[in-house]
Amino acid sequence: MKTMQITNIKIKELKEYDKNARTHPKKQIDLLAKNIERFGFTVPVLIDKNNEIIAGHGRIMAMKQLGKDEVPCVKMENLSDEEVKALRLADNQLGLMSDWDMNLVIEELKGLSPEMLDLTGFDKDLIIEADEKDDEVPETPEEPQSKLGDLYELGEHRVLCGDSTKIDDVERLMDGKKADMVFT
């Protein structure tokens, strides 16, 4: 196995892969930037022989956000085009195939300060201690606020108190548009 050579390269010399299938929401980039500020740049960017990014698009976006002009890189010069494509996909996909032992995650999170907890990307609600109030179910009112046929518009979202098995209700809810997601 060849030893990795890490070299700092100017971001402007790197080429983004125009078919990068991985998306990076702003929340993720903000969190990556905070982690880089706190812990440093811990995982080098992988690039091919032409300085095209194999893995690390999000980290580069975070570095740009921080106003940095270079990043640590490992040049993967000996890979074929097919190997580069496979590595690019595998680098993102393989981590998604693992699961979390949530009991251990919660135990670890409980040992962190609020500042460190914010850097993890985990929801703080995971560590809130359960109490009896969590199990209280309010009484059903005699006269409900929502009634069959009520349609609510929440920004670009619509919620109908109706029957998803009735075409008239579905058509009223959808208003001639197609849904990105349906929860019935």
Coordinates of all heavy atoms in Angstrom, one line a residue, residues 57-150:
H57 N -16.4 17.8 -1.9 CA -17.1 19.0 -2.4 C -17.7 19.9 -1.2 O -17.6 21.1 -1.2 CB -18.3 18.6 -3.4 CG -17.8 18.2 -4.7 ND1 -17.4 16.9 -5.0 CD2 -17.7 18.9 -5.9 CE1 -17.1 16.8 -6.2 NE2 -17.2 18.0 -6.8
G58 N -18.3 19.2 -0.3 CA -18.9 19.9 0.9 C -17.9 20.6 1.7 O -18.0 21.8 2.1
R59 N -16.7 20.0 1.9 CA -15.7 20.6 2.7 C -15.1 21.8 2.0 O -14.8 22.8 2.6 CB -14.6 19.5 3.0 CG -15.1 18.4 4.0 CD -14.0 17.5 4.4 NE -13.3 16.7 3.4 CZ -13.8 15.6 2.8 NH1 -15.0 15.2 3.2 NH2 -13.1 15.0 1.9
I60 N -15.0 21.7 0.7 CA -14.5 22.8 -0.1 C -15.5 24.0 0.0 O -15.1 25.2 0.2 CB -14.2 22.4 -1.5 CG1 -13.0 21.5 -1.6 CG2 -14.0 23.7 -2.4 CD1 -12.7 21.0 -2.9
M61 N -16.8 23.7 -0.1 CA -17.8 24.8 0.1 C -17.7 25.4 1.4 O -17.8 26.7 1.5 CB -19.2 24.2 -0.2 CG -19.4 23.7 -1.6 SD -20.9 22.7 -1.7 CE -22.2 23.9 -1.6
A62 N -17.4 24.6 2.5 CA -17.3 25.2 3.8 C -16.0 26.1 3.9 O -16.0 27.1 4.5 CB -17.2 24.1 4.8
M63 N -14.9 25.6 3.3 CA -13.7 26.4 3.3 C -13.9 27.7 2.6 O -13.4 28.8 3.0 CB -12.5 25.6 2.7 CG -12.1 24.5 3.6 SD -11.3 25.0 5.1 CE -9.6 25.3 4.4
K64 N -14.6 27.7 1.4 CA -14.9 29.0 0.7 C -15.7 29.9 1.6 O -15.5 31.1 1.7 CB -15.7 28.7 -0.6 CG -14.8 28.1 -1.7 CD -15.7 27.8 -2.9 CE -14.9 27.2 -4.0 NZ -15.8 26.9 -5.2
Q65 N -16.7 29.3 2.3 CA -17.5 30.1 3.2 C -16.7 30.8 4.3 O -16.9 31.9 4.7 CB -18.6 29.2 3.8 CG -19.5 30.0 4.8 CD -20.7 29.1 5.2 OE1 -21.4 28.5 4.4 NE2 -20.8 28.9 6.5
L66 N -15.6 30.1 4.7 CA -14.7 30.6 5.8 C -13.7 31.6 5.2 O -12.9 32.1 5.9 CB -14.0 29.4 6.5 CG -14.9 28.5 7.3 CD1 -14.1 27.3 7.8 CD2 -15.4 29.3 8.6
G67 N -13.7 31.7 3.9 CA -12.8 32.7 3.2 C -11.4 32.1 3.0 O -10.4 32.8 2.8
K68 N -11.2 30.8 3.1 CA -9.9 30.1 2.9 C -9.7 29.9 1.4 O -10.6 29.8 0.6 CB -9.9 28.7 3.6 CG -10.3 28.8 5.1 CD -9.3 29.6 5.9 CE -9.7 29.5 7.4 NZ -8.8 30.3 8.2
D69 N -8.4 29.9 1.1 CA -8.1 29.8 -0.4 C -7.3 28.5 -0.7 O -7.1 28.2 -1.9 CB -7.3 31.0 -0.8 CG -5.9 31.1 -0.1 OD1 -5.7 30.4 0.8 OD2 -5.1 32.0 -0.6
E70 N -7.0 27.6 0.2 CA -6.4 26.3 -0.1 C -6.9 25.3 0.9 O -7.4 25.6 2.0 CB -4.9 26.4 -0.1 CG -4.2 26.7 1.2 CD -2.7 26.8 1.0 OE1 -2.2 27.1 -0.1 OE2 -2.0 26.5 2.0
V71 N -6.8 24.0 0.4 CA -7.3 22.9 1.2 C -6.2 21.7 1.1 O -5.6 21.6 0.1 CB -8.6 22.3 0.7 CG1 -9.7 23.3 1.0 CG2 -8.6 22.0 -0.7
P72 N -6.1 20.9 2.1 CA -5.3 19.7 2.1 C -5.9 18.7 1.1 O -7.1 18.4 1.2 CB -5.3 19.2 3.5 CG -5.8 20.3 4.3 CD -6.7 21.1 3.5
C73 N -5.1 18.2 0.2 CA -5.6 17.2 -0.8 C -4.8 16.0 -0.9 O -3.6 16.1 -0.6 CB -5.7 17.9 -2.2 SG -6.8 19.3 -2.3
V74 N -5.4 14.9 -1.3 CA -4.6 13.7 -1.7 C -4.9 13.5 -3.1 O -6.1 13.3 -3.6 CB -5.1 12.5 -0.8 CG1 -4.4 11.2 -1.4 CG2 -4.7 12.7 0.6
K75 N -3.9 13.4 -3.9 CA -4.0 13.2 -5.4 C -4.0 11.7 -5.7 O -3.0 11.0 -5.4 CB -2.9 13.9 -6.2 CG -3.2 14.1 -7.6 CD -2.2 15.1 -8.3 CE -3.0 16.2 -8.9 NZ -2.2 17.1 -9.6
M76 N -5.1 11.2 -6.3 CA -5.3 9.8 -6.6 C -4.9 9.6 -8.1 O -5.8 9.5 -8.9 CB -6.7 9.4 -6.3 CG -7.2 9.7 -5.0 SD -6.4 8.9 -3.6 CE -7.0 7.3 -3.8
E77 N -3.6 9.7 -8.4 CA -3.1 9.8 -9.8 C -3.2 8.5 -10.5 O -3.2 8.4 -11.7 CB -1.7 10.3 -9.8 CG -1.6 11.7 -9.3 CD -0.2 12.2 -9.4 OE1 0.6 11.9 -8.4 OE2 0.1 12.9 -10.3
N78 N -3.2 7.4 -9.8 CA -3.0 6.1 -10.4 C -4.4 5.4 -10.7 O -4.4 4.2 -11.1 CB -2.2 5.1 -9.6 CG -0.7 5.7 -9.4 OD1 -0.2 6.3 -10.4 ND2 -0.2 5.5 -8.3
L79 N -5.5 6.1 -10.5 CA -6.8 5.5 -10.8 C -7.3 5.7 -12.2 O -7.1 6.8 -12.8 CB -7.8 6.1 -9.8 CG -7.6 5.9 -8.3 CD1 -8.7 6.6 -7.5 CD2 -7.4 4.4 -7.9
S80 N -7.9 4.7 -12.7 CA -8.5 4.8 -14.0 C -9.8 5.7 -13.9 O -10.3 6.0 -12.8 CB -8.9 3.5 -14.6 OG -10.0 2.9 -13.9
D81 N -10.3 6.2 -15.0 CA -11.6 7.0 -15.0 C -12.7 6.2 -14.3 O -13.5 6.8 -13.5 CB -12.0 7.4 -16.4 CG -11.0 8.4 -17.0 OD1 -10.2 9.0 -16.2 OD2 -11.1 8.7 -18.2
E82 N -12.8 4.9 -14.6 CA -13.8 4.1 -14.0 C -13.6 4.0 -12.5 O -14.6 4.0 -11.7 CB -13.8 2.7 -14.6 CG -14.9 1.8 -14.1 CD -14.9 0.4 -14.7 OE1 -13.9 -0.1 -15.1 OE2 -16.0 -0.2 -14.8
E83 N -12.4 3.8 -12.0 CA -12.1 3.7 -10.6 C -12.4 5.0 -9.9 O -12.9 5.0 -8.8 CB -10.6 3.3 -10.4 CG -10.3 1.9 -10.8 CD -8.8 1.6 -10.7 OE1 -8.0 2.5 -11.1 OE2 -8.5 0.5 -10.3
V84 N -12.1 6.1 -10.5 CA -12.4 7.4 -10.0 C -14.0 7.5 -9.8 O -14.4 8.0 -8.7 CB -11.9 8.6 -10.8 CG1 -12.5 9.9 -10.4 CG2 -10.4 8.6 -10.8
K85 N -14.7 7.2 -10.8 CA -16.2 7.2 -10.7 C -16.7 6.3 -9.6 O -17.6 6.7 -8.8 CB -16.8 6.8 -12.0 CG -18.3 7.1 -12.1 CD -18.8 6.7 -13.5 CE -18.4 7.7 -14.5 NZ -19.1 7.6 -15.8
A86 N -16.2 5.1 -9.5 CA -16.6 4.2 -8.4 C -16.2 4.7 -7.0 O -17.1 4.7 -6.1 CB -16.0 2.8 -8.7
L87 N -15.0 5.3 -6.9 CA -14.6 5.8 -5.6 C -15.4 7.0 -5.2 O -15.8 7.1 -4.1 CB -13.1 6.2 -5.6 CG -12.6 6.9 -4.4 CD1 -12.7 6.0 -3.2 CD2 -11.1 7.2 -4.6
R88 N -15.8 7.8 -6.2 CA -16.6 9.0 -5.9 C -17.9 8.6 -5.3 O -18.4 9.2 -4.3 CB -16.8 9.8 -7.2 CG -17.5 11.1 -7.0 CD -17.5 11.9 -8.3 NE -16.3 12.5 -8.6 CZ -15.5 12.3 -9.7 NH1 -16.0 11.5 -10.7 NH2 -14.4 13.0 -9.9
L89 N -18.6 7.6 -5.9 CA -19.9 7.1 -5.4 C -19.7 6.4 -4.1 O -20.5 6.6 -3.1 CB -20.5 6.2 -6.5 CG -20.9 7.0 -7.7 CD1 -21.3 6.0 -8.8 CD2 -22.1 7.9 -7.5
A90 N -18.7 5.5 -4.0 CA -18.5 4.7 -2.8 C -18.2 5.6 -1.6 O -18.7 5.3 -0.5 CB -17.4 3.7 -3.0
D91 N -17.4 6.6 -1.8 CA -17.0 7.5 -0.7 C -18.2 8.1 0.0 O -18.3 8.2 1.2 CB -16.1 8.6 -1.2 CG -15.6 9.5 0.0 OD1 -14.7 9.1 0.7 OD2 -16.2 10.6 0.1
N92 N -19.2 8.4 -0.8 CA -20.5 9.0 -0.2 C -21.5 7.9 0.3 O -22.1 8.1 1.3 CB -21.2 9.9 -1.2 CG -20.5 11.2 -1.4 OD1 -20.4 12.0 -0.4 ND2 -19.9 11.5 -2.5
Q93 N -21.5 6.8 -0.4 CA -22.6 5.8 -0.2 C -22.2 4.9 1.0 O -23.1 4.5 1.8 CB -22.8 5.0 -1.4 CG -23.9 3.9 -1.2 CD -25.3 4.4 -0.8 OE1 -25.6 5.5 -1.1 NE2 -26.1 3.5 -0.2
L94 N -21.0 4.5 1.1 CA -20.6 3.5 2.1 C -20.9 3.9 3.6 O -21.4 3.1 4.4 CB -19.2 3.0 2.0 CG -18.9 2.3 0.7 CD1 -17.4 1.9 0.6 CD2 -19.8 1.1 0.4
G95 N -20.7 5.2 3.9 CA -21.0 5.7 5.2 C -22.5 5.7 5.5 O -22.9 5.5 6.7
L96 N -23.3 5.8 4.5 CA -24.8 5.8 4.7 C -25.3 4.4 5.0 O -26.4 4.2 5.5 CB -25.5 6.3 3.4 CG -25.2 7.7 3.0 CD1 -25.9 8.0 1.7 CD2 -25.7 8.7 4.1
M97 N -24.5 3.4 4.7 CA -24.9 2.0 5.0 C -24.8 1.5 6.4 O -25.3 0.5 6.8 CB -24.1 1.0 4.0 CG -24.4 1.3 2.6 SD -23.3 0.4 1.5 CE -24.1 -1.3 1.6
S98 N -24.2 2.3 7.2 CA -24.1 1.9 8.6 C -25.2 2.5 9.4 O -26.0 3.4 9.0 CB -22.7 2.5 9.2 OG -22.7 3.9 9.2
D99 N -25.5 2.0 10.6 CA -26.5 2.4 11.5 C -25.9 2.9 12.8 O -24.7 2.8 13.0 CB -27.5 1.2 11.8 CG -28.3 0.8 10.6 OD1 -28.8 1.6 9.9 OD2 -28.4 -0.5 10.4
W100 N -26.8 3.6 13.6 CA -26.4 4.1 14.9 C -26.9 3.2 16.0 O -28.1 2.8 15.9 CB -26.9 5.5 15.1 CG -26.3 6.6 14.2 CD1 -26.8 7.1 13.0 CD2 -25.0 7.2 14.4 NE1 -26.0 8.0 12.5 CE2 -24.9 8.1 13.3 CE3 -24.0 7.1 15.3 CZ2 -23.8 8.9 13.2 CZ3 -22.9 7.9 15.2 CH2 -22.8 8.8 14.1
D101 N -26.2 3.0 17.0 CA -26.7 2.4 18.3 C -27.1 3.7 19.0 O -26.3 4.3 19.7 CB -25.6 1.7 19.0 CG -26.0 1.1 20.3 OD1 -26.9 1.7 21.0 OD2 -25.5 0.0 20.7
M102 N -28.4 4.0 19.0 CA -28.9 5.2 19.5 C -28.7 5.3 21.1 O -28.6 6.4 21.6 CB -30.4 5.5 19.1 CG -30.5 5.8 17.7 SD -29.4 7.1 17.0 CE -30.0 8.5 17.9
N103 N -28.7 4.2 21.7 CA -28.5 4.3 23.2 C -27.1 4.8 23.5 O -26.9 5.6 24.4 CB -28.7 2.9 23.8 CG -30.1 2.5 23.9 OD1 -31.0 3.3 24.0 ND2 -30.4 1.2 23.7
L104 N -26.1 4.3 22.7 CA -24.7 4.8 22.8 C -24.6 6.3 22.4 O -23.9 7.0 23.0 CB -23.7 3.9 22.1 CG -23.6 2.5 22.7 CD1 -22.6 1.7 21.8 CD2 -23.0 2.6 24.1
V105 N -25.3 6.6 21.3 CA -25.2 8.0 20.8 C -25.7 8.9 21.9 O -25.1 9.9 22.2 CB -26.1 8.2 19.5 CG1 -26.3 9.6 19.2 CG2 -25.5 7.4 18.4
I106 N -26.9 8.6 22.5 CA -27.5 9.4 23.5 C -26.5 9.6 24.7 O -26.3 10.6 25.3 CB -28.9 8.9 23.9 CG1 -29.8 9.1 22.7 CG2 -29.4 9.6 25.2 CD1 -31.2 8.4 22.9
E107 N -25.9 8.4 25.1 CA -25.0 8.4 26.2 C -23.8 9.4 25.9 O -23.4 10.2 26.8 CB -24.5 7.0 26.4 CG -23.6 6.8 27.6 CD -23.1 5.4 27.8 OE1 -24.0 4.5 27.6 OE2 -21.9 5.2 28.1
E108 N -23.3 9.3 24.7 CA -22.2 10.2 24.3 C -22.6 11.6 24.3 O -21.9 12.5 24.7 CB -21.6 9.8 22.9 CG -20.9 8.4 22.9 CD -19.6 8.5 23.6 OE1 -18.7 9.4 23.3 OE2 -19.4 7.7 24.6
L109 N -23.8 11.9 23.7 CA -24.3 13.3 23.6 C -24.5 13.9 25.0 O -24.2 15.1 25.2 CB -25.6 13.3 22.8 CG -25.5 13.0 21.3 CD1 -26.9 12.9 20.7 CD2 -24.7 14.0 20.6
K110 N -24.9 13.1 25.9 CA -25.2 13.6 27.3 C -23.9 14.1 27.9 O -23.9 14.9 28.8 CB -25.8 12.6 28.2 CG -27.3 12.4 27.9 CD -27.9 11.3 28.8 CE -29.4 11.2 28.5 NZ -30.0 10.2 29.3
G111 N -22.8 13.5 27.5 CA -21.5 13.9 28.1 C -20.9 15.2 27.4 O -19.7 15.6 27.8
L112 N -21.6 15.8 26.5 CA -21.0 16.9 25.8 C -21.6 18.2 26.3 O -22.8 18.3 26.7 CB -21.4 16.9 24.3 CG -20.7 15.7 23.5 CD1 -21.2 15.7 22.1 CD2 -19.2 15.7 23.6
S113 N -20.8 19.3 26.3 CA -21.3 20.6 26.6 C -22.2 21.1 25.5 O -22.2 20.5 24.4 CB -20.1 21.6 26.7 OG -19.5 21.8 25.4
P114 N -23.1 22.1 25.7 CA -24.0 22.6 24.7 C -23.2 23.0 23.4 O -23.6 22.8 22.3 CB -24.7 23.7 25.3 CG -24.7 23.4 26.8 CD -23.4 22.7 27.0
E115 N -22.0 23.6 23.6 CA -21.2 24.1 22.5 C -20.8 22.9 21.6 O -20.9 22.9 20.4 CB -20.0 24.8 23.0 CG -19.0 25.2 21.9 CD -17.7 25.8 22.4 OE1 -17.4 25.7 23.6 OE2 -17.0 26.3 21.5
M116 N -20.3 21.8 22.2 CA -19.8 20.6 21.5 C -21.0 19.9 20.9 O -20.9 19.4 19.8 CB -19.0 19.7 22.4 CG -17.7 20.2 22.8 SD -16.6 20.4 21.4 CE -16.4 22.2 21.5
L117 N -22.1 19.8 21.6 CA -23.3 19.2 21.1 C -23.8 19.8 19.8 O -24.2 19.1 18.8 CB -24.5 19.2 22.1 CG -25.8 18.6 21.7 CD1 -25.6 17.1 21.5 CD2 -26.8 18.9 22.8
D118 N -23.7 21.2 19.7 CA -24.1 21.9 18.5 C -23.3 21.5 17.3 O -23.7 21.5 16.2 CB -24.0 23.4 18.7 CG -25.1 23.9 19.6 OD1 -26.1 23.2 19.8 OD2 -24.9 25.1 20.1
L119 N -22.0 21.0 17.5 CA -21.1 20.7 16.4 C -21.4 19.3 15.8 O -20.9 18.9 14.8 CB -19.7 20.7 16.9 CG -19.2 22.1 17.2 CD1 -17.8 22.0 17.8 CD2 -19.2 23.0 16.0
T120 N -22.2 18.5 16.6 CA -22.4 17.1 16.1 C -23.4 16.9 15.0 O -23.4 15.9 14.3 CB -22.8 16.2 17.3 OG1 -24.2 16.6 17.7 CG2 -21.8 16.3 18.5
G121 N -24.3 17.8 14.9 CA -25.4 17.6 13.9 C -26.5 16.8 14.4 O -27.5 16.7 13.7
F122 N -26.4 16.3 15.6 CA -27.6 15.6 16.2 C -28.6 16.5 16.8 O -28.2 17.6 17.3 CB -27.1 14.6 17.3 CG -26.5 13.3 16.8 CD1 -25.1 13.2 16.6 CD2 -27.3 12.3 16.4 CE1 -24.6 12.0 16.1 CE2 -26.8 11.1 15.9 CZ -25.5 11.0 15.7
D123 N -29.8 16.1 16.9 CA -30.9 16.9 17.4 C -30.8 16.9 19.0 O -30.7 15.8 19.6 CB -32.2 16.3 17.0 CG -33.4 17.2 17.4 OD1 -33.3 18.0 18.3 OD2 -34.5 16.9 16.8
K124 N -30.8 18.1 19.6 CA -30.7 18.2 21.0 C -31.8 17.4 21.7 O -31.7 17.0 22.9 CB -30.7 19.6 21.5 CG -29.5 20.4 21.0 CD -29.7 21.9 21.4 CE -28.6 22.6 20.7 NZ -28.9 24.0 20.6
D125 N -33.0 17.3 21.1 CA -34.1 16.6 21.7 C -33.8 15.1 22.0 O -34.5 14.5 22.9 CB -35.3 16.7 20.8 CG -35.9 18.1 20.7 OD1 -35.6 18.9 21.6 OD2 -36.7 18.3 19.8
L126 N -32.8 14.6 21.4 CA -32.4 13.2 21.8 C -32.0 13.0 23.2 O -32.2 11.9 23.8 CB -31.3 12.7 20.9 CG -31.6 12.4 19.4 CD1 -30.3 12.1 18.6 CD2 -32.6 11.3 19.3
I127 N -31.5 14.1 23.8 CA -31.0 13.9 25.2 C -31.9 14.5 26.2 O -31.5 14.5 27.4 CB -29.6 14.5 25.3 CG1 -29.6 16.0 25.0 CG2 -28.6 13.8 24.4 CD1 -28.3 16.7 25.4
I128 N -33.0 15.0 25.9 CA -34.0 15.5 26.8 C -34.5 14.4 27.7 O -35.0 13.4 27.1 CB -35.1 16.3 26.2 CG1 -34.6 17.6 25.5 CG2 -36.2 16.6 27.2 CD1 -35.6 18.3 24.7
E129 N -34.4 14.5 29.0 CA -34.9 13.5 29.9 C -36.4 13.3 29.7 O -37.2 14.3 29.7 CB -34.5 13.8 31.3 CG -33.1 13.8 31.6 CD -32.4 12.5 31.5 OE1 -33.1 11.5 31.7 OE2 -31.2 12.5 31.2
A130 N -36.9 12.1 29.7 CA -38.3 11.9 29.6 C -38.9 12.1 31.0 O -38.3 11.9 32.0 CB -38.6 10.4 29.2
D131 N -40.1 12.6 31.0 CA -40.9 12.8 32.2 C -42.3 12.5 32.0 O -42.7 12.2 30.8 CB -40.7 14.2 32.8 CG -41.2 15.3 31.9 OD1 -42.1 15.1 31.1 OD2 -40.7 16.4 32.0
E132 N -43.1 12.5 33.0 CA -44.5 12.1 32.9 C -45.3 13.0 31.9 O -46.2 12.5 31.3 CB -45.2 12.2 34.3 CG -44.7 11.2 35.3 CD -43.4 11.6 35.9 OE1 -43.2 12.8 36.2 OE2 -42.5 10.7 36.1
K133 N -44.9 14.3 31.8 CA -45.6 15.2 30.9 C -45.5 14.7 29.4 O -46.3 15.0 28.6 CB -45.1 16.6 31.0 CG -45.5 17.2 32.4 CD -45.0 18.7 32.4 CE -45.4 19.3 33.8 NZ -44.9 20.6 33.9
D134 N -44.4 14.0 29.1 CA -44.2 13.5 27.7 C -45.3 12.5 27.4 O -45.6 12.3 26.2 CB -42.9 12.8 27.6 CG -41.7 13.8 27.7 OD1 -41.9 15.0 27.5 OD2 -40.6 13.4 27.9
D135 N -45.8 11.8 28.4 CA -46.8 10.8 28.1 C -48.3 11.3 28.2 O -49.2 10.5 28.0 CB -46.6 9.6 29.1 CG -45.2 9.0 28.9 OD1 -44.8 9.0 27.8 OD2 -44.7 8.5 29.9
E136 N -48.5 12.5 28.6 CA -49.8 13.0 28.8 C -50.5 13.2 27.4 O -49.9 13.8 26.5 CB -49.8 14.3 29.5 CG -49.5 14.2 31.0 CD -49.5 15.5 31.7 OE1 -50.0 16.5 31.1 OE2 -49.1 15.6 32.8
V137 N -51.7 12.7 27.3 CA -52.5 12.9 26.0 C -53.6 13.8 26.4 O -54.4 13.5 27.3 CB -53.0 11.6 25.5 CG1 -53.8 11.8 24.2 CG2 -51.8 10.6 25.2
P138 N -53.8 14.9 25.7 CA -54.9 15.8 26.1 C -56.2 15.2 25.8 O -56.4 14.3 24.9 CB -54.7 17.0 25.2 CG -53.8 16.6 24.1 CD -53.0 15.4 24.6
E139 N -57.2 15.6 26.5 CA -58.6 15.2 26.3 C -59.1 15.6 24.9 O -58.7 16.7 24.5 CB -59.5 15.7 27.4 CG -59.3 15.2 28.8 CD -59.6 13.7 28.9 OE1 -60.6 13.3 28.4 OE2 -58.8 13.0 29.6
T140 N -59.9 14.8 24.3 CA -60.5 15.1 23.0 C -61.6 16.1 23.3 O -62.5 15.8 24.1 CB -61.0 13.9 22.3 OG1 -59.9 12.9 22.2 CG2 -61.6 14.2 20.9
P141 N -61.6 17.3 22.6 CA -62.6 18.2 22.9 C -64.0 17.8 22.3 O -64.0 17.0 21.3 CB -62.1 19.5 22.2 CG -61.2 19.0 21.1 CD -60.6 17.8 21.7
E142 N -65.1 18.2 22.9 CA -66.4 17.8 22.4 C -66.6 18.4 21.0 O -67.1 17.8 20.1 CB -67.5 18.2 23.3 CG -67.6 17.4 24.5 CD -68.8 17.7 25.4 OE1 -69.9 18.1 24.8 OE2 -68.7 17.6 26.6
E143 N -66.1 19.6 20.8 CA -66.2 20.3 19.5 C -64.8 20.5 19.0 O -64.1 21.4 19.4 CB -66.9 21.6 19.7 CG -67.2 22.4 18.4 CD -68.3 21.7 17.5 OE1 -69.1 21.0 18.1 OE2 -68.2 21.9 16.3
P144 N -64.3 19.6 18.0 CA -63.0 19.8 17.5 C -62.8 21.1 16.7 O -63.7 21.6 16.1 CB -62.8 18.5 16.6 CG -64.2 18.1 16.3 CD -65.1 18.5 17.4
Q145 N -61.6 21.6 16.7 CA -61.3 22.8 16.0 C -61.2 22.5 14.5 O -61.7 23.3 13.7 CB -59.9 23.4 16.4 CG -60.0 24.1 17.7 CD -58.7 24.7 18.1 OE1 -57.6 24.3 17.7 NE2 -58.8 25.8 18.9
S146 N -60.6 21.4 14.1 CA -60.6 21.0 12.7 C -61.8 20.1 12.4 O -62.1 19.1 13.1 CB -59.3 20.2 12.4 OG -58.2 21.1 12.5
K147 N -62.4 20.4 11.3 CA -63.6 19.6 10.9 C -63.3 19.0 9.5 O -62.6 19.6 8.7 CB -64.8 20.4 10.9 CG -65.2 20.9 12.3 CD -66.5 21.7 12.2 CE -66.9 22.1 13.6 NZ -66.1 23.0 14.3
L148 N -64.0 17.9 9.2 CA -64.0 17.3 7.8 C -64.2 18.4 6.8 O -65.2 19.2 6.9 CB -65.0 16.2 7.7 CG -64.9 15.2 6.6 CD1 -63.5 14.5 6.7 CD2 -66.0 14.2 6.6
G149 N -63.3 18.5 5.8 CA -63.4 19.5 4.8 C -62.5 20.7 5.0 O -62.3 21.5 4.0
D150 N -62.0 20.9 6.2 CA -61.1 22.1 6.4 C -59.8 21.9 5.6 O -59.2 20.8 5.6 CB -60.8 22.2 7.9 CG -61.9 22.8 8.7 OD1 -62.9 23.2 8.1 OD2 -61.8 22.8 9.9

